[in-house]
Amino acid sequence: MTPEQISRYARHLVLKEIGGPGQAKLLAANIAIIGAGGLGGPAGLYLAAAGVGKITIIDDDAVDITNLQRQIQFVQTDIGALKTEAMGGALVDLNPDITVRREQMRLTDDNAADLLRGHDLILDGTDSFQTRFIVNDASLYLGIPLISGALGRFDGQISVFSGNGADGPCYRCLVPSIPPDAQTCAQVGVVGALAGIIGAQMALEAVKMITGAGAPLIGKLYLFDGLAATARTVTLPKDPACPACGAK
Amino acid sequence: MKLKINGEWVDDLPDALSVSALLTHLQLPVKKIAVERNLKIVPKSTFDTATLAEGDQLEIIHFIGGG
C-alpha cells in the first residue's frame, strides 16, 4: 500500500475486522453492480470509496431527471448521459485507485454468464423481477455470491445468497415465480433516502463478504420499514422445491 | 385458534389451518407474498402442508422489486 493509500483507508485500517489484510482484499476485489440506479448508485459510491479495486457497472439506460430525487451518483448535468458513463466517472473521481468497467447493455439470459464471469461478488439492484431471476441463475451457474436489494415505497429488503445452491437459499427460494402485476418504483413511488439506506447496506454486506468481517446476511432476509423506523432480520431457509436451486 | 398476523391477534380461526388455507381465508395473493412464521420464512412449496399452531406469530411480506 502506498502512503496515500494508508491515509485514504486509515479508518478501515484501524478496524480489527478489516485492517491491512482486509483492505488488501478490497483493493484486489472485482465486483459487478447490475443496475446503476437507486441501489447501485449509493452501493457503488461506497464500494469505490472503500477501495474495491475493480467495479463493473451494467446498465442500458440514460440519466433522466426523475432519477435525481434518489440516484445521488448523478448530478444535474448528467441528464441525458449514459448511466454507465456518468456513474463510472463519479466513481473514478471519488477514488483514482479503482478501475471501472462500463457495460452499456441490459443483462439478458444470453449475456449474463459472460458479463458476470470472473467477479468475486454480484450486486443486484435492478427494477425488474425478470432480471433478478436471470441474475440469480447466473450467480448459481457461476458460483458467485449475490447481494440482492430491493425498494418499494418506504420499504427495503436485502439478502445475501452464497451462489452455492448446496448451502443456503437462492433468490428464488424467496420469490419462486414472478409476482403478477409487479409494480415498479415509477408506479408506486419510493422515498429517496431509502435508496441510500438499502444501497449502503448492500455495500456494507459486500465489504463483509470480501473481508470476512462479521456475519453476512446469508440465509437471512433483512426487512426495513422506513415509515415505522423498524427493521427485523428473519431466517430464510432453502426451499427444497426451489425452481432454481432445488432438487431437480 | 388464535394467531398474531402482522402484529394483530386474530381469533376464531379454524384449528390446524395450513398456510395456504389461511391465505385463502385472508384473500391474499400467494404469488405476491412471502409468509414469515415465528421469524422464519415458510418455503412456498410447503404452504399446503405447513400447519399453523395456536399462538404462531405471522408476518405477511409483500415482495418488492424496485431498485
Side-chain angles (χ1 to χ4, degrees):
Chain A
M1 236 178 277
T2 64
E4 187 182 297
Q5 286 179 319
I6 290 169
S7 298
R8 179 183 293 273
Y9 305 117
R11 302 297 184 274
H12 276 169
L13 297 176
V14 298
L15 292 171
K16 70 173 167 44
E17 295 84 353
I18 299 180
Q23 188 61 50
K25 287 177 188 165
L26 289 169
L27 287 164
N30 186 0
I31 295 182
I33 298 174
I34 307 164
L39 293 171
L45 288 167
Y46 274 109
L47 292 178
V52 169
K54 292 181 187 166
I55 296 175
T56 302
I57 307 169
I58 304 166
D59 199 301
D60 68 341
D61 224 347
V63 180
D64 183 82
I65 192 167
T66 59
N67 301 148
L68 300 183
Q69 163 259 15
R70 66 197 178 286
Q71 299 180 19
I72 57 165
Q73 67 273 36
F74 303 126
V75 296
Q76 179 75 17
T77 50
D78 289 330
I79 292 172
L82 298 174
K83 283 188 163 185
T84 47
E85 287 304 320
M87 179 168 154
L91 300 193
V92 173
D93 284 349
L94 175 55
N95 188 348
D97 273 354
I98 69 164
T99 57
V100 176
R101 180 176 139 200
R102 300 153 172 90
E103 295 289 354
Q104 169 65 28
M105 59 184 75
R106 177 165 282 265
L107 193 89
T108 66
D109 257 330
D110 293 331
N111 65 18
D114 284 339
L115 278 173
L116 297 173
R117 185 173 285 116
H119 292 90
D120 301 309
L121 208 52
I122 301 165
L123 268 63
D124 184 357
T126 57
D127 204 7
S128 140
F129 282 104
Q130 204 163 8
T131 307
R132 288 173 184 275
F133 280 22
I134 294 170
V135 174
N136 183 63
D137 283 347
S139 156
L140 288 168
Y141 174 70
L142 298 168
I144 302 173
L146 167 63
I147 298 176
S148 178
L151 303 172
R153 296 171 40 80
F154 286 84
D155 293 320
Q157 299 175 358
I158 174 169
S159 187
V160 180
F161 305 107
S162 68
N164 172 355
D167 68 354
C170 77
Y171 180 72
R172 290 186 69 184
C173 294
L174 176 65
V175 187
S177 60
I178 293 181
D181 328 309
Q183 291 172 315
T184 64
C185 289
Q187 292 165 307
V188 299
V190 60
V191 60
L194 180 71
I197 291 172
I198 303 299
Q201 191 168 3
M202 291 170 75
L204 175 58
E205 288 299 312
V207 168
K208 286 162 60 184
M209 289 289 286
I210 297 295
T211 62
L217 281 169
I218 292 176
K220 291 175 196 160
L221 175 66
Y222 177 89
L223 302 155
F224 180 75
D225 177 344
L227 282 178
T230 57
R232 62 185 198 286
T233 305
V234 303
T235 301
L236 175 60
K238 189 175 167 69
D239 188 334
C242 172
C245 74
K248 295 260 158 53
Chain B
M1 171 167 82
K2 189 174 170 184
L3 299 173
K4 196 173 193 177
I5 303 171
N6 293 345
E8 309 259 336
W9 285 104
V10 180
D11 295 327
D12 299 331
L13 291 164
D15 284 342
L17 206 57
S18 71
V19 173
S20 290
L22 177 74
L23 295 179
T24 304
H25 179 81
L26 298 173
Q27 296 185 298
L28 284 167
V30 175
K31 285 190 169 176
K32 294 177 150 191
I33 57 163
V35 175
E36 170 199 327
R37 176 192 190 186
N38 304 329
L39 292 175
K40 189 171 180 181
I41 301 290
V42 182
K44 193 158 278 181
S45 69
T46 68
F47 275 15
D48 288 342
T49 51
T51 307
L52 298 168
E54 174 81 23
D56 275 351
Q57 302 202 14
L58 306 173
E59 293 281 340
I60 309 299
I61 298 167
H62 288 260
F63 294 135
I64 53 176

Coordinates of all heavy atoms in Angstrom, one line a residue, chain A residues 15-19 21-26 29 121 203-218:
Chain A
L15 N -9.7 -0.7 12.0 CA -10.8 -1.7 12.4 C -10.1 -3.0 12.4 O -9.5 -3.5 11.5 CB -11.9 -1.7 11.4 CG -12.8 -0.4 11.3 CD1 -13.7 -0.5 10.1 CD2 -13.6 -0.3 12.6
K16 N -10.3 -3.7 13.6 CA -9.7 -5.0 13.7 C -10.3 -6.0 12.7 O -9.7 -7.0 12.2 CB -9.7 -5.6 15.1 CG -11.0 -6.0 15.7 CD -10.8 -6.6 17.0 CE -12.1 -6.8 17.8 NZ -13.3 -7.3 17.1
E17 N -11.6 -5.8 12.3 CA -12.3 -6.7 11.4 C -11.8 -6.5 10.0 O -12.1 -7.4 9.1 CB -13.8 -6.5 11.5 CG -14.4 -6.9 12.8 CD -14.3 -5.8 13.9 OE1 -13.7 -4.7 13.6 OE2 -14.9 -5.9 15.0
I18 N -11.2 -5.4 9.7 CA -10.7 -5.1 8.3 C -9.2 -5.0 8.3 O -8.5 -5.9 7.8 CB -11.4 -3.8 7.7 CG1 -12.9 -4.0 7.6 CG2 -10.8 -3.6 6.3 CD1 -13.7 -2.8 7.0
G19 N -8.7 -3.9 8.8 CA -7.2 -3.8 8.9 C -6.5 -3.9 7.6 O -7.1 -3.8 6.5
P21 N -4.9 -6.5 6.1 CA -5.3 -7.7 5.2 C -6.7 -7.5 4.6 O -6.8 -7.8 3.4 CB -5.3 -8.9 6.2 CG -4.5 -8.5 7.3 CD -4.6 -7.0 7.5
G22 N -7.6 -7.0 5.3 CA -9.0 -6.7 4.7 C -8.9 -5.7 3.6 O -9.6 -5.8 2.6
Q23 N -8.2 -4.6 3.9 CA -8.1 -3.6 2.9 C -7.4 -4.1 1.6 O -7.8 -3.8 0.5 CB -7.3 -2.3 3.4 CG -7.4 -1.2 2.5 CD -8.8 -0.7 2.2 OE1 -9.6 -0.5 3.2 NE2 -9.2 -0.5 0.9
A24 N -6.4 -5.0 1.8 CA -5.7 -5.6 0.6 C -6.7 -6.4 -0.2 O -6.7 -6.4 -1.4 CB -4.6 -6.4 1.1
K25 N -7.6 -7.1 0.5 CA -8.6 -7.9 -0.2 C -9.6 -7.0 -0.9 O -10.0 -7.3 -2.0 CB -9.4 -8.8 0.8 CG -8.6 -9.9 1.4 CD -9.5 -10.7 2.4 CE -8.6 -11.8 3.1 NZ -9.2 -12.3 4.3
L26 N -10.0 -5.9 -0.3 CA -10.9 -4.9 -1.0 C -10.2 -4.4 -2.3 O -10.8 -4.3 -3.3 CB -11.3 -3.8 -0.1 CG -12.2 -4.1 1.1 CD1 -12.3 -3.0 2.1 CD2 -13.6 -4.5 0.6
A29 N -10.4 -6.8 -5.0 CA -11.8 -7.4 -5.3 C -12.3 -6.9 -6.6 O -11.9 -5.8 -7.1 CB -12.7 -7.0 -4.2
L121 N -18.2 -11.0 -6.6 CA -19.4 -10.7 -6.0 C -20.3 -10.0 -7.0 O -19.8 -9.2 -7.8 CB -19.1 -9.8 -4.8 CG -20.0 -9.7 -3.6 CD1 -20.2 -11.1 -3.0 CD2 -19.3 -8.8 -2.5
A203 N -23.6 -2.3 0.1 CA -22.1 -2.1 0.1 C -21.5 -2.7 1.4 O -20.4 -3.3 1.3 CB -21.8 -0.6 0.0
L204 N -22.2 -2.5 2.5 CA -21.6 -3.0 3.8 C -21.6 -4.5 3.7 O -20.6 -5.1 4.2 CB -22.5 -2.5 4.9 CG -22.2 -3.1 6.3 CD1 -20.8 -2.7 6.7 CD2 -23.2 -2.5 7.3
E205 N -22.6 -5.2 3.2 CA -22.6 -6.6 3.1 C -21.5 -7.1 2.2 O -20.8 -8.1 2.4 CB -23.9 -7.2 2.6 CG -25.1 -7.1 3.7 CD -24.8 -7.9 4.9 OE1 -24.4 -9.1 4.8 OE2 -24.9 -7.3 6.0
A206 N -21.2 -6.3 1.1 CA -20.1 -6.6 0.2 C -18.8 -6.5 0.9 O -17.9 -7.4 0.7 CB -20.2 -5.7 -1.0
V207 N -18.6 -5.5 1.7 CA -17.3 -5.3 2.4 C -17.1 -6.5 3.4 O -16.0 -7.0 3.5 CB -17.3 -3.9 3.1 CG1 -16.1 -3.9 4.1 CG2 -17.2 -2.8 2.1
K208 N -18.2 -6.9 4.0 CA -18.1 -8.0 4.9 C -17.8 -9.3 4.2 O -17.0 -10.1 4.7 CB -19.5 -8.2 5.7 CG -19.7 -7.2 6.8 CD -21.2 -7.1 7.2 CE -21.7 -8.4 7.7 NZ -23.2 -8.3 8.0
M209 N -18.4 -9.5 3.0 CA -18.2 -10.7 2.3 C -16.7 -10.8 1.8 O -16.1 -11.8 1.8 CB -19.1 -10.8 1.0 CG -20.5 -11.1 1.4 SD -20.8 -12.8 1.9 CE -20.6 -13.7 0.4
I210 N -16.2 -9.6 1.3 CA -14.8 -9.6 0.8 C -13.8 -9.8 1.9 O -12.8 -10.5 1.8 CB -14.6 -8.3 0.0 CG1 -15.5 -8.2 -1.2 CG2 -13.1 -8.2 -0.4 CD1 -15.3 -9.2 -2.3
T211 N -14.0 -9.1 3.1 CA -13.0 -9.1 4.1 C -13.2 -10.2 5.1 O -12.3 -10.5 5.9 CB -13.1 -7.8 4.9 OG1 -14.3 -7.6 5.5 CG2 -12.8 -6.6 4.0
G212 N -14.4 -10.9 5.1 CA -14.7 -11.9 6.1 C -15.1 -11.3 7.5 O -15.3 -12.1 8.4
A213 N -15.4 -10.0 7.5 CA -15.8 -9.4 8.8 C -17.3 -9.8 9.1 O -18.1 -9.8 8.2 CB -15.7 -7.9 8.7
G214 N -17.5 -10.2 10.4 CA -18.9 -10.4 10.8 C -19.6 -11.5 10.2 O -19.0 -12.4 9.6
A215 N -20.9 -11.4 10.3 CA -21.8 -12.5 9.7 C -22.7 -11.9 8.6 O -23.5 -11.0 8.8 CB -22.7 -13.0 10.8
P216 N -22.4 -12.3 7.4 CA -23.2 -11.8 6.3 C -24.7 -12.3 6.3 O -25.0 -13.2 7.1 CB -22.5 -12.3 5.0 CG -21.8 -13.5 5.5 CD -21.5 -13.3 6.9
L217 N -25.6 -11.6 5.6 CA -27.0 -12.0 5.6 C -27.3 -13.2 4.7 O -28.3 -13.3 4.0 CB -27.8 -10.8 5.0 CG -28.1 -9.6 6.0 CD1 -28.7 -8.4 5.2 CD2 -29.1 -10.0 7.1
I218 N -26.4 -14.2 4.8 CA -26.7 -15.5 4.1 C -27.7 -16.3 4.9 O -27.6 -16.5 6.1 CB -25.4 -16.3 3.9 CG1 -24.5 -15.5 2.9 CG2 -25.7 -17.7 3.4 CD1 -23.1 -16.2 2.7

